[in-house]
Amino acid sequence: MSRLLLFASLLLPQLFVAQSKSAAPATKSEFVENLLNQMTIDEKIGQLNLPSAGDIVTGATQNADIASKIKNGLVGGLFNIKSVTKIKEIQSIAVQKSRLKIPLLFGMDVIHGYETTFPIPLGLSATFNLEAIERSARIAAIEASADGINWTFSPMVDISRDPRWGRISEGSGEDPYLGSKIAAAMVKGYQGSDLRDPRTILACVKHFALYGAPEAGREYNTVDMSRIRMYNDYFPPYKAAIDAGVATVMASFNEVDGVPATANKWLMTDVLRKQWGFNGFVVTDYTGINEMTEHGIGNLQTVSALALKAGIQMDMVGEGFISTLKKSLEEGKITQNDIDQAVRLILNAKYDLGLFEDPYKYCNEKRAKTEIFTPEHRAEAVKIAEESFVLLKNNNHVLPLNPKQRIALVGPLANNAVNMAGTWSVATKQERSITLIDGLRAFSSTITYAKGSNLDHDPAFEERATMFGKSLNRDSRTAEELIKEAIEISKNADVIVAALGESAEMSGESSSRTSLEIPLAQKELLRELKKLNKPIVLVLFTGRPLVLTEEIELVDTILNVWFPGSEAGTAIANTLFGKSNPSGKLTATFPRNVGQVPIYYAAKNTGRPLGNKDGKFEKFKSNYLDVRNEPLFPFGYGLSYSTFEYKNISASKTAFKTNEEIEIRVDVKNSSKIDGSEVVQLYIRDVVGSVTRPLRELKGFQKIALKAGEAKTVMFKISTEDLKFYNSDLNFVAEPGTFEVYVGGNSDATLKVQIELLP
């Protein structure tokens, strides 16, 4: 490279900020306004356009259709493209060949890790470890930013109380308090404390709003609920992300109060900006604007104008903005200020990232080679996966296993790398994921293996459930032949490990189910294995709560591993052999059957509550003819190889005023001979309110480590803020009165103390 060329390349970032002949303005506002004043209407609308690039082949960029749009200033950002080489090539078109040289945003669905993949978000939430969850997002940001990405469409914070909905796998479960804590942790992990740090990326909280409550649990379906439920149960995690400084928000597909969220001004302007103070930009979901025509509120021009007026700034893929807004402006359906304000917010985000100063700050090839899928990141993924596992049953202490035992490993998920990372793992190199059989063989040489069954008897269903290249390599043998092979290898085993459940794509987007059972082919395998009268360990892979009423009778042990990520086999084996002790807790209730859905712990009482807890039917009470009310496994439930005792709950005082706090203390002891960790959970019941209140609400948790035989006193502080709720006027209030405080290892905790908030 000549000295002149070298000097020019070094000077480019400094010169880039000067978008006109004058020097760059001193402040962000001045800079953005100066740039905005130079833009044509087409260039302004172009900034609102977010097409999907596809993974353009290096060298083909210059001739792609997207290149001409970028040159003409008709693109504000791209997504679905990765690698420093490709992104640098595309960014160079924007900053060297477009008139105003405005850099692009590059987004990707970095949901639960990048190439180093962590458990699915529902599994992450089961750790109840906010520091670990934040670390997972931090590592994801480091790896994604090293590969050219500067924007992730995460976290998804939708509360869901219906496991039929496939995307329950991508959220943090049913509880707004826990969901809020996780939302804030994820935002902090992605964005850090300074977005100009090249190892941070823009976060995008989604899907605003109420996406997790579709009728019938069916993807993209209608959502209809009262505003008091919105504010108390579904809004808190979104607001927590806003309070944590999230840079962007994604609109949801569903309607809210009869108006699609993407055109809902009350939601996008009144709530998001006026009530919560959000100052970033809002992007639609994939073709969200176009899809409003199917909702029946207008043609593409109409719905595009409605979206802009409502408070949407960026159009993902649909190109409704770029194809209609100019016409709507000419016809007076939108104003110049509507467009300018949208552009202003997008330029602000690019400025905050430091892209105007250095458009290539995310294109460091050295980082791409040294900061992705590192041994340190993979070790962290193992540790976090281990914390996510939930031990649902462990009769006769079958677990942990002894490496000297003869182990028969069976099941369609025992030797399949591509399903280990779970849904929405788009950057994962699936073939590198560690299988369960490889993990077990690192501990023991006595492993024998048979597939035992296909995922499902129906090949068409299996194909739908293994999309995106996540095949289970369907076996052409009959079900009887597969089971026979599994029985033969199990006859001489000391213990059977059955790797069963869902495939990765049986949950996730557009993966709703009307049945929550393990597929029949796998059930039949389990039934035949039971006849051998040997200990059976069910390693359960799932992206949602499942109905396990039959399985809990067939097996001795159930270890729910969700989808643990790229290091799955190592983490599972560590846990099965006792190198790691399970400490995960359920963040979504497991029903006895699908007829109980929606089911969640924070329910309200009825005027005719069921008086017993033994499942006995009572006529004219709120119960079923055919099944008891209680779930199979409640929220917060999870066993350990250790056992924990709770006693001596106390309050620092019995009554307190609005400007005071009460301390709640409880003694927790590890009464076993095995070191372990326990999630100590605090729940509150507001006994009398101006509106009906839930029977219990999670208001605190602490994950503590206890040595064998060790005891600790755990302390929680309760303030007036913990007692507040939205009343019928949507005022956020704490009402004086009596409150019951429960502390224990799950939402059925019985240890209780009573306190009073004074007027």
Side-chain angles (χ1 to χ4, degrees):
M1 180 183 291
S2 70
R3 289 186 178 183
L4 182 61
L5 219 60
L6 177 61
F7 176 77
S9 67
L10 293 173
L11 196 59
L12 177 62
Q14 286 72 37
L15 293 177
F16 188 79
V17 297
Q19 296 293 337
S20 68
K21 295 180 180 179
S22 61
T27 68
K28 176 171 71 173
S29 176
E30 290 171 333
F31 175 83
V32 168
E33 292 306 312
N34 180 61
L35 181 54
L36 195 61
N37 290 335
Q38 298 178 61
M39 299 173 74
T40 66
I41 185 61
D42 290 322
E43 288 168 333
K44 288 178 178 180
I45 295 173
Q47 285 298 303
L48 314 184
N49 185 29
L50 180 69
S52 172
D55 206 3
I56 297 174
V57 177
T58 305
T61 305
Q62 302 291 335
N63 298 320
D65 176 62
I66 198 73
S68 62
K69 291 181 178 179
I70 295 170
K71 290 175 187 176
N72 292 323
L74 302 181
V75 177
L78 292 173
F79 76 105
N80 279 350
I81 185 168
K82 57 177 288 192
S83 93
V84 166
T85 303
K86 296 175 184 178
I87 287 174
K88 188 173 184 179
E89 187 175 348
I90 293 175
Q91 188 74 289
S92 70
I93 300 173
V95 301
Q96 294 179 24
K97 297 187 178 181
S98 69
R99 188 178 74 89
L100 292 177
K101 302 176 170 47
I102 299 173
L104 302 174
L105 294 172
F106 291 92
M108 179 170 276
D109 282 302
V110 182
I111 306 300
H112 52 108
Y114 192 67
E115 287 190 18
T116 302
T117 313
F118 298 90
I120 58 171
L122 188 60
L124 280 174
S125 70
T127 67
F128 276 79
N129 186 335
L130 298 177
E131 291 181 358
I133 293 169
E134 183 181 327
R135 284 199 307 274
S136 75
R138 181 89 288 275
I139 290 171
I142 290 170
E143 293 197 357
S145 64
D147 218 13
I149 307 301
N150 53 37
W151 184 20
T152 176
F153 305 116
S154 175
M156 194 200 93
V157 303
D158 300 307
I159 295 298
S160 179
R161 294 169 171 179
D162 189 337
R164 295 174 298 178
W165 186 59
R167 291 192 89 167
I168 193 172
S169 62
E170 200 183 330
S172 297
E174 69 187 48
D175 185 70
Y177 177 85
L178 177 64
S180 296
K181 296 293 186 182
I182 292 174
M186 293 289 285
V187 170
K188 185 177 179 182
Y190 289 133
Q191 296 189 173
S193 57
D194 183 3
L195 282 172
R196 288 181 174 265
D197 182 339
R199 288 171 172 80
T200 63
I201 58 179
L202 298 176
C204 182
V205 67
K206 64 185 187 185
H207 306 83
F208 193 60
L210 320 179
Y211 188 50
E215 291 182 356
R218 183 159 50 88
E219 186 71 80
Y220 318 123
N221 205 10
T222 298
V223 175
D224 191 11
M225 69 171 67
S226 67
R227 291 199 176 181
I228 195 169
R229 171 163 276 192
M230 290 182 202
Y231 276 85
N232 281 314
D233 297 347
Y234 286 81
F235 275 1
Y238 307 117
K239 185 177 185 300
I242 303 304
D243 291 343
V246 72
T248 67
V249 170
M250 181 182 290
S252 56
F253 286 124
N254 55 278
E255 63 180 61
V256 176
D257 284 347
V259 179
T262 308
N264 196 308
K265 188 172 184 178
W266 173 77
L267 196 65
M268 297 299 167
T269 298
D270 295 347
V271 175
L272 191 59
R273 297 197 184 276
K274 294 181 180 179
Q275 293 181 24
W276 295 353
F278 176 63
N279 57 13
F281 74 83
V282 181
V283 63
T284 73
D285 207 335
Y286 199 104
T287 65
I289 289 176
N290 310 59
E291 292 174 26
M292 289 194 290
T293 62
E294 295 293 340
H295 281 277
I297 64 168
N299 61 20
L300 183 59
Q301 181 184 353
T302 298
V303 297
S304 298
L306 287 172
L308 184 71
K309 298 287 284 187
I312 300 293
Q313 283 78 49
M314 186 170 268
D315 177 10
M316 182 186 287
V317 175
E319 299 200 340
F321 278 0
I322 203 168
S323 64
T324 71
L325 286 189
K326 191 173 182 180
K327 182 179 180 182
S328 291
L329 179 64
E330 293 167 352
E331 295 175 353
K333 294 176 179 177
I334 60 173
T335 67
Q336 184 67 56
N337 185 61
D338 293 330
I339 294 174
D340 286 353
Q341 179 57 15
V343 178
R344 186 176 289 117
L345 292 171
I346 291 167
L347 295 179
N348 282 347
K350 294 180 178 183
Y351 186 99
D352 290 342
L353 276 175
L355 292 178
F356 289 113
E357 183 177 349
D358 181 3
Y360 301 113
K361 64 176 286 192
Y362 292 95
C363 298
N364 185 323
E365 293 182 357
K366 181 179 179 181
R367 287 191 61 209
K369 293 175 181 178
T370 60
E371 296 185 13
I372 299 175
F373 204 62
T374 67
E376 295 79 13
H377 292 174
R378 295 177 64 192
E380 192 68 39
V382 171
K383 182 180 177 182
I384 293 175
E386 290 168 356
E387 283 200 63
S388 74
F389 299 155
V390 183
L391 185 62
L392 298 176
K393 180 182 180 181
N394 192 25
N395 278 11
N396 302 314
H397 303 288
V398 170
L399 290 182
L401 301 175
N402 187 323
K404 295 181 180 179
Q405 288 177 297
R406 294 169 297 176
I407 299 170
L409 176 62
V410 302
L413 291 157
N415 188 25
N416 187 275
V418 298
N419 277 265
M420 294 298 96
T423 188
W424 280 121
S425 50
V426 298
T428 306
K429 294 184 177 178
Q430 306 287 354
E431 69 281 358
R432 294 194 304 198
S433 295
I434 299 173
T435 64
L436 178 54
I437 191 169
D438 287 339
L440 293 180
R441 283 174 174 165
F443 279 87
S444 172
S445 60
T446 65
I447 310 296
T448 54
Y449 163 73
K451 188 172 184 178
S453 78
N454 285 307
L455 178 75
D456 190 84
H457 287 312
D458 181 1
F461 176 85
E462 183 166 321
E463 185 175 355
R464 293 194 298 273
T466 55
M467 298 178 69
F468 309 121
K470 296 178 182 176
S471 171
L472 284 165
N473 300 315
R474 187 173 182 83
D475 200 301
S476 61
R477 288 175 290 175
T478 67
E480 292 75 18
E481 289 172 326
L482 289 167
I483 289 175
K484 182 180 178 181
E485 181 186 31
I487 295 297
E488 287 301 314
I489 71 153
S490 299
K491 285 179 179 178
N492 296 321
D494 297 314
V495 62
I496 302 167
V497 175
L500 309 176
E502 294 188 312
S503 59
E505 298 306 327
M506 278 179 71
S507 59
E509 185 170 0
S510 191
S511 295
S512 298
R513 297 181 63 192
T514 59
S515 168
L516 298 177
E517 306 270 349
I518 289 175
L520 182 60
Q522 299 177 62
K523 279 181 176 286
E524 290 173 348
L525 168 63
L526 207 54
R527 291 167 187 166
E528 293 303 313
L529 292 171
K530 175 67 174 176
K531 295 175 182 178
L532 296 175
N533 293 317
K534 293 179 180 289
I536 301 176
V537 175
L538 171 56
V539 176
L540 179 67
F541 291 86
T542 180
R544 53 160 54 88
L546 292 177
V547 171
L548 301 172
T549 47
E550 180 178 3
E551 288 77 8
I552 202 170
E553 300 298 328
L554 291 174
V555 304
D556 301 271
T557 295
I558 302 176
L559 182 68
N560 181 6
V561 299
W562 311 105
F563 289 96
S566 53
E567 309 305 307
T570 300
I572 298 170
N574 285 349
T575 305
L576 292 178
F577 285 104
K579 184 177 179 181
S580 172
N581 189 349
S583 63
K585 300 280 188 173
L586 296 179
T587 58
T589 301
F590 275 49
R592 293 179 183 275
N593 64 35
V594 73
Q596 289 182 305
V597 172
I599 186 170
Y600 50 96
Y601 86 91
K604 295 182 177 182
N605 222 345
T606 74
R608 296 187 178 187
L610 189 65
N612 69 81
K613 287 285 186 179
D614 61 3
K616 181 180 178 182
F617 174 77
E618 292 184 31
K619 195 67 175 176
F620 306 117
K621 295 289 186 179
S622 182
N623 55 189
Y624 300 99
L625 287 170
D626 56 345
V627 70
R628 63 191 297 169
N629 283 4
E630 295 78 33
L632 189 62
F633 299 112
F635 177 91
Y637 178 86
L639 303 175
S640 168
Y641 299 153
S642 310
T643 54
F644 301 97
E645 296 177 356
Y646 289 77
K647 61 181 181 180
N648 300 330
I649 188 171
S650 63
S652 59
K653 46 191 169 185
T654 57
F656 69 119
K657 298 178 181 179
T658 55
N659 60 343
E660 297 176 335
E661 291 181 335
I662 280 186
E663 293 180 356
I664 304 296
R665 288 183 169 82
V666 65
D667 295 334
V668 184
K669 181 180 180 180
N670 181 346
S671 55
S672 72
K673 297 181 180 180
I674 303 174
D675 298 349
S677 295
E678 170 72 341
V679 180
V680 183
Q681 302 160 48
L682 181 142
Y683 298 85
I684 291 179
R685 181 187 181 188
D686 188 349
V687 178
V688 177
S690 60
V691 296
T692 58
R693 304 289 293 123
L695 288 169
R696 294 191 182 186
E697 295 178 284
L698 182 70
K699 291 297 181 179
F701 58 87
Q702 293 183 36
K703 192 164 194 174
I704 60 170
L706 292 172
K707 299 289 186 182
E710 182 184 6
K712 287 183 180 178
T713 298
V714 180
M715 190 269 285
F716 296 92
K717 288 185 178 180
I718 297 175
S719 71
T720 307
E721 290 300 310
D722 297 309
L723 308 180
K724 286 184 175 180
F725 64 95
Y726 288 92
N727 63 17
S728 55
D729 295 321
L730 298 184
N731 294 320
F732 195 48
V733 298
E735 297 177 344
T738 300
F739 296 83
E740 295 172 347
V741 181
Y742 298 84
V743 179
N746 61 63
S747 57
D748 285 343
T750 57
L751 211 57
K752 179 179 74 171
V753 67
Q754 190 167 289
I755 61 175
E756 184 177 0
L757 177 63
L758 299 173

